[in-house]
Amino acid sequence: MVNLTMLTDFYQLTMMDGYLKSDKKDEIMIFDMFYRKNPNDGGYTIVCGINEVIDYIENLKFEEEDIQYLKSLNTFDEEFLQYLRDFKFDGEIYAVEEGTIMFPNEPIIRVKAKAMQAQLVETTILCIINFQTLIATKASRICYSAMGDSVMEFGLRRAQAPDAGLYGAKAAVIGGCIGTSNVLAGQKFDIPVLGTHAHSWIQSFDTELDAFRAYAKAYPTKTVLLLDTYDTLNSGIRNAITVFNELREQGYEPLGVRIDSGDLEFLSKEIRKILDSAGFENVKITASNDLDENTITSLKNQGAQIDIWGVGTKMITSFDWAALGGVYKLCAVVRDGQMIPKIKISEDPNKINNPGYKNIYRIYDKNDNKAKADLIVLDEEVINENEPLTIFDPIHTWKKMTFEDFYVKKLLLPLFIDGKCVREKRDIKDIKRYTDEEKESFWIQYRRNKNPQIYKVDLSKKLWNMKNDLLENRNIL
Amino acid sequence: MVNLTMLTDFYQLTMMDGYLKSDKKDEIMIFDMFYRKNPNDGGYTIVCGINEVIDYIENLKFEEEDIQYLKSLNTFDEEFLQYLRDFKFDGEIYAVEEGTIMFPNEPIIRVKAKAMQAQLVETTILCIINFQTLIATKASRICYSAMGDSVMEFGLRRAQAPDAGLYGAKAAVIGGCIGTSNVLAGQKFDIPVLGTHAHSWIQSFDTELDAFRAYAKAYPTKTVLLLDTYDTLNSGIRNAITVFNELREQGYEPLGVRIDSGDLEFLSKEIRKILDSAGFENVKITASNDLDENTITSLKNQGAQIDIWGVGTKMITSFDWAALGGVYKLCAVVRDGQMIPKIKISEDPNKINNPGYKNIYRIYDKNDNKAKADLIVLDEEVINENEPLTIFDPIHTWKKMTFEDFYVKKLLLPLFIDGKCVREKRDIKDIKRYTDEEKESFWIQYRRNKNPQIYKVDLSKKLWNMKNDLLENRNIL
């Protein structure tokens, strides 16, 4: 990743300059990055992008050409420009592990740093986490709909610019895909790259049969043929069978066929019959064409004979829910060594943030190791696993739940301390494995695509009191 | 822009290798890049991304580390890897001018190159043009809804990864926005950067009034205050008036206020009244909060007193239509010096491409200089502007139209010849000016957001005949 220091909102710079001028330069601020609503009205998200946040923070540096550009705007004075020349992030960042399943209003990243530093990094952290988390979550939904079938990420050509293709492919694999068509993503993240040929290959030959033969000759051990360039049933599958038989005579077994248009339910069943009766029971059928979790569920319900799903546009853009909407909100400042909680008030209660320097405990049942609820707490709070733990709903406070045979896991873990990265970047295979374990740790009621059960996220008594005090005593105006 | 050579679909490489093995290495192929449907069921698109296509093609080169990665996949032999080491694009590319208004099924880019070269560049060209065109078009729709008010691009934090923020900001400005919050985009494209402060600025001070005063002190000539951190009408606007009066006593005039939540119709009217009665008639009201063309139209209809619109998530992601869906289709091959037109047949007539080596004439009325219709032709066809021109609808062929007092403009113009770029990259201000002229050259019936008139795009008789012949005589199976 290149230096993204200048990839920020202009108001971060004007605020930084303002802090410098108002002598708040060294005041410590604490921000939470969280989101308010699960994409597609689903039950959860899969956090993705932590590795890139590490890269971003480690490479923070204003180059002299950046300074000269900012100078040219005639907004900033030399004092501020010199501050930027010397800029170094020396704060603290806590974050969940990449691949963790998270819920609305839970801090995913917590930044504690000098005002100017904490402010600068807002935009880029949001840009990275919002997108990758969105796509990992979408991929997870799509893979869930495929019920164990393989799903391939094919969306690069429709991605929202090159980075979206690259990091979207990474996120899709973490979310559950077996690989991507994106060669750069394969190279950069060491994830499987997949693909065979396009309609143009078929069209470029005089006949479809010539095209199939040429492909089989080039890749005799990896022959997958695209059937729908001219006419799937009257031409494509017939020519494919001819070439598959020729391959077999040469001692090779064909791998598969792909269909990219037409009615996938009907065509896949017809193709399956033709393949089976020609003795190619092991040839897999891949389908693509504007698929998403809804279409896949619908096709599976009708018994479509599709073994592998190629998903493009609708996954790489999260077409029907194109932004996560994560935010980065001030929740405390440290003044004279004292932590002062901060709150943003809104008429819309959903937009009021949780104040204070916080962490999250995930509560697991000791008997089945399934997650039961999350509890957002003030960072200093410790949970004694040997005593019963009672939590309550933050709105309907009479709704209580007590855990006896449980253990807890703290979710926000150190990422940067005093500006130094304290966590190793994990490779994508590790993150993918961890994500699979995360999914297993939740009952499927929380993971289904439509109308999932709402997972319980409560506030500790201490935090709830702090929030209520701030809302009742608004001497902040 | 960095080297994007590896940003391609894996099947481009397997096909290239296949072409090498099947001795089609030097066969010339012609591909059209076009799209099939206007985003948001609108009337047009604004093509964006041509500058980045130039960068991409000029930087095409496989580095040795790329070769080593591809070797590690155990799919390609040394002959192919050596071909990639020596890879150089030496073909021809025609493209419309960046900022041109275009319609479904019209070639935006036409690539004529050796099979392997033409195939490699498909994915990246699509990735670049699809996204930037989508956002320029969305921005144009949003600016249209603002009816002359200024619109600012504020979406970086919700963009689909860093590149989307960067190139999306560029496209938004070309589409009509006055500037962006994105500092990197400002630096890279020399477009205005905009912004003041966030809720966190207000929260970080003991009181809202302190925060406003500190901001006005830092930026006395550029004071814009954010009103909705605690309570827009009971606190925000009152404190703002206090600070505006203090500013005026010091000889400065305040610029504006911003609201980012609550009911924008009601609040903007109340704020306008309060500002006016306090003697601040020139202070502008900026509004933001999940805006798009539909919400802006609705607020304008109700007489909301908003002067400047800040638009984020829904523009930078084109939230309700998150992909253009542009495609890149083989339309001809050159064999033994002869042009052989190619067609992809589909059960869905909308998915059948126009064959042949083509260009587009845009027909203008000499009296008002407005565009009347586009005619897709074979490249060699010449239109005599001194004779009446009759065109016909390609489906309802009895629907005809004759032009007498007209002139034409050819839309596809040289971009690369023999691998050399023959067009200068234009700066964003030029492109923006050209885009504004483009808009002016179309009657507003084609530009309205809802149910626009369908602009006529016909095929020349020669092209129509060629297409029909191919469909009737499919000896290609």
Side-chain angles (χ1 to χ4, degrees), chain B residues 241 271-281:
Chain B
I241 297 283
I271 290 166
R272 185 74 270 159
K273 275 188 257 170
I274 296 169
L275 285 169
D276 288 355
S277 68
F280 295 103
E281 293 88 353

Side-chain angles (χ1 to χ4, degrees), chain B residues 299-444:
Chain B
L299 286 166
K300 296 285 286 184
N301 285 344
Q302 296 189 315
Q305 295 294 303
I306 295 165
D307 306 294
I308 301 170
W309 306 81
V311 184
T313 310
K314 294 197 169 165
M315 181 159 64
I316 202 74
T317 65
S318 187
F319 192 83
D320 51 359
W321 197 289
L324 177 63
V327 295
Y328 181 90
K329 293 289 172 193
L330 183 70
C331 54
V333 299
V334 184
R335 204 168 290 153
D336 307 323
Q338 228 202 318
M339 185 83 67
I340 304 167
K342 290 284 181 178
I343 198 161
K344 152 94 180 77
I345 292 168
S346 171
E347 264 188 65
D348 177 357
N350 292 319
K351 285 204 166 182
I352 297 175
N353 68 302
N354 290 317
Y357 184 58
K358 301 178 295 294
N359 211 316
I360 307 158
Y361 283 107
R362 181 154 293 168
I363 303 163
Y364 293 89
D365 189 317
K366 257 190 187 163
N367 302 303
D368 57 18
N369 295 308
K370 296 286 191 191
K372 292 287 158 174
D374 287 0
L375 190 66
I376 308 179
V377 301
L378 293 177
D379 193 70
E380 77 261 16
E381 292 187 74
V382 176
I383 289 181
N384 183 344
E385 295 173 344
N386 300 315
E387 285 179 9
L389 172 67
T390 299
I391 64 174
F392 62 96
D393 185 281
I395 294 161
H396 311 288
T397 51
W398 50 269
K399 287 176 77 173
K400 291 181 182 155
M401 195 175 223
T402 298
F403 301 95
E404 305 219 337
D405 220 18
F406 72 97
Y407 61 95
V408 295
K409 204 169 90 176
K410 226 172 182 175
L411 298 188
L412 285 177
L413 303 170
L415 193 69
F416 282 83
I417 300 289
D418 298 334
K420 293 266 169 302
C421 183
V422 294
R423 200 189 294 178
E424 259 184 54
K425 276 166 62 177
R426 288 158 64 212
D427 72 34
I428 306 305
K429 285 189 192 73
D430 279 351
I431 299 172
K432 189 177 170 64
R433 203 177 304 123
Y434 172 77
T435 305
D436 290 344
E437 292 164 14
E438 277 285 287
K439 289 182 192 171
E440 279 310 304
S441 74
F442 285 88
W443 291 111
I444 53 168

Side-chain angles (χ1 to χ4, degrees), chain A residues 2 4 6-15 17-19 21-22 24 27 29 31 65-66 69-70 73-76 119 122-123 126-127 130-131 134 156-164 167 181-184 186-187 191 193-201 203-208 214-215 218-219 222 228-230 235 239 258 261 289 313 316-317 319 321-323 325-327 329-330 333 335 342-345 351 474 476-477, chain B residues 2 4 6-15 17-19 21-22 24 27 29 31 65-66 69-70 73-76 119 122-123 126-127 130-131 134 156-164 167 181-184 186-187 191 193-201 203-208 214-215 218-219 222 228-230 235 239 258 261 289 313 316-317 319 321-323 325-327 329-330 333 335 342-345 351 353 474 476-477:
Chain A
V2 292
L4 297 179
M6 292 286 276
L7 189 86
T8 192
D9 287 309
F10 187 63
Y11 77 4
Q12 311 292 9
L13 297 174
T14 53
M15 282 192 278
D17 186 27
Y19 285 133
K21 302 286 181 292
S22 68
K24 279 178 172 277
E27 190 165 291
M29 289 188 177
F31 285 86
E65 62 176 347
D66 303 334
Y69 166 71
L70 294 174
L73 299 177
N74 293 319
T75 302
F76 305 114
Q119 200 66 70
E122 170 179 13
T123 313
L126 284 172
C127 181
N130 272 335
F131 173 63
L134 179 73
L156 174 56
R157 62 191 57 198
R158 303 286 168 69
Q160 295 202 346
D163 276 352
Y167 298 108
S181 66
N182 184 329
V183 181
L184 186 61
Q187 179 180 22
I191 53 183
V193 288
L194 309 159
T196 57
H197 58 264
H199 299 116
S200 59
W201 171 270
Q203 289 172 270
S204 75
F205 289 81
D206 287 335
T207 69
E208 189 179 54
Y215 195 83
Y219 297 101
K222 297 177 178 180
D228 69 325
T229 304
Y230 303 117
S235 154
N239 286 327
R258 179 161 78 95
S261 63
N289 191 19
T313 310
I316 202 76
T317 64
F319 191 82
W321 197 289
V327 296
K329 293 290 172 193
L330 182 69
V333 300
R335 204 170 288 153
K342 291 283 180 180
I343 198 161
K344 152 94 179 76
I345 292 168
K351 284 202 166 184
R474 302 196 229 167
I476 37 185
L477 312 184
Chain B
V2 293
L4 296 179
M6 292 286 275
L7 190 85
T8 192
D9 286 309
F10 188 62
Y11 78 2
Q12 312 292 10
L13 297 174
T14 52
M15 282 191 279
D17 186 28
Y19 285 133
K21 303 286 181 293
S22 68
K24 278 176 175 277
E27 190 165 292
M29 290 188 177
F31 285 86
E65 62 177 347
D66 303 334
Y69 166 70
L70 294 173
L73 299 177
N74 293 319
T75 301
F76 306 114
Q119 199 66 69
E122 169 179 15
T123 312
L126 285 172
C127 180
N130 272 334
F131 173 64
L134 179 73
L156 174 56
R157 63 192 57 198
R158 304 286 167 70
Q160 295 202 348
D163 277 352
Y167 298 108
S181 66
N182 184 331
V183 181
L184 186 62
Q187 178 180 24
I191 54 182
V193 288
L194 308 159
T196 58
H197 58 263
H199 298 117
S200 59
W201 171 270
Q203 289 172 270
S204 75
F205 288 82
D206 286 336
T207 70
E208 189 180 54
Y215 195 82
Y219 297 101
K222 296 179 181 177
D228 70 324
T229 306
Y230 303 119
S235 154
N239 286 327
R258 179 162 76 95
S261 63
N289 191 18
T313 310
I316 202 74
T317 65
F319 192 83
W321 197 289
V327 295
K329 293 289 172 193
L330 183 70
V333 299
R335 204 168 290 153
K342 290 284 181 178
I343 198 161
K344 152 94 180 77
I345 292 168
K351 285 204 166 182
N353 68 302
R474 302 196 228 167
I476 38 186
L477 313 184

Side-chain angles (χ1 to χ4, degrees), chain B residues 212 225-229 231-241 244 255-288 303-307:
Chain B
F212 284 178
L225 299 175
L226 177 61
L227 304 183
D228 70 324
T229 306
D231 189 323
T232 302
L233 295 181
N234 292 312
S235 154
I237 184 64
R238 287 167 205 281
N239 286 327
I241 297 283
F244 286 171
L255 293 189
V257 296
R258 179 162 76 95
I259 42 178
D260 186 43
S261 63
D263 187 81
L264 300 179
E265 177 270 328
F266 171 73
L267 290 176
S268 66
K269 288 179 183 168
E270 292 297 308
I271 290 166
R272 185 74 270 159
K273 275 188 257 170
I274 296 169
L275 285 169
D276 288 355
S277 68
F280 295 103
E281 293 88 353
N282 290 326
V283 164
K284 302 264 189 241
I285 301 175
T286 298
S288 47
Q305 295 294 303
I306 295 165
D307 306 294

Side-chain angles (χ1 to χ4, degrees), chain A residues 284-303:
Chain A
K284 302 263 188 241
I285 300 175
T286 297
S288 47
N289 191 19
D290 254 354
L291 296 170
D292 66 5
E293 65 270 44
N294 301 319
T295 306
I296 293 175
T297 295
S298 199
L299 286 166
K300 296 284 288 184
N301 285 343
Q302 295 189 316

Side-chain angles (χ1 to χ4, degrees), chain A residues 156-158 162, chain B residues 4 7-8 12 31-34 48-50 52-54 56-57 60 89 92-95 108-111 117-133 326-328 415-416:
Chain A
L156 174 56
R157 62 191 57 198
R158 303 286 168 69
Chain B
L4 296 179
L7 190 85
T8 192
Q12 312 292 10
F31 285 86
D32 288 335
M33 191 251 138
F34 61 95
C48 199
I50 302 294
E52 283 69 33
V53 169
I54 295 175
Y56 163 61
I57 297 289
L60 269 175
F89 183 85
E92 167 200 292
I93 303 180
Y94 272 56
I108 292 169
I109 293 181
R110 185 187 73 195
V111 175
Q117 297 179 21
Q119 199 66 69
L120 177 68
V121 301
E122 169 179 15
T123 312
T124 310
I125 287 178
L126 285 172
C127 180
I128 292 170
I129 300 291
N130 272 334
F131 173 64
Q132 291 194 35
T133 300
V327 295
Y328 181 90
L415 193 69
F416 282 83

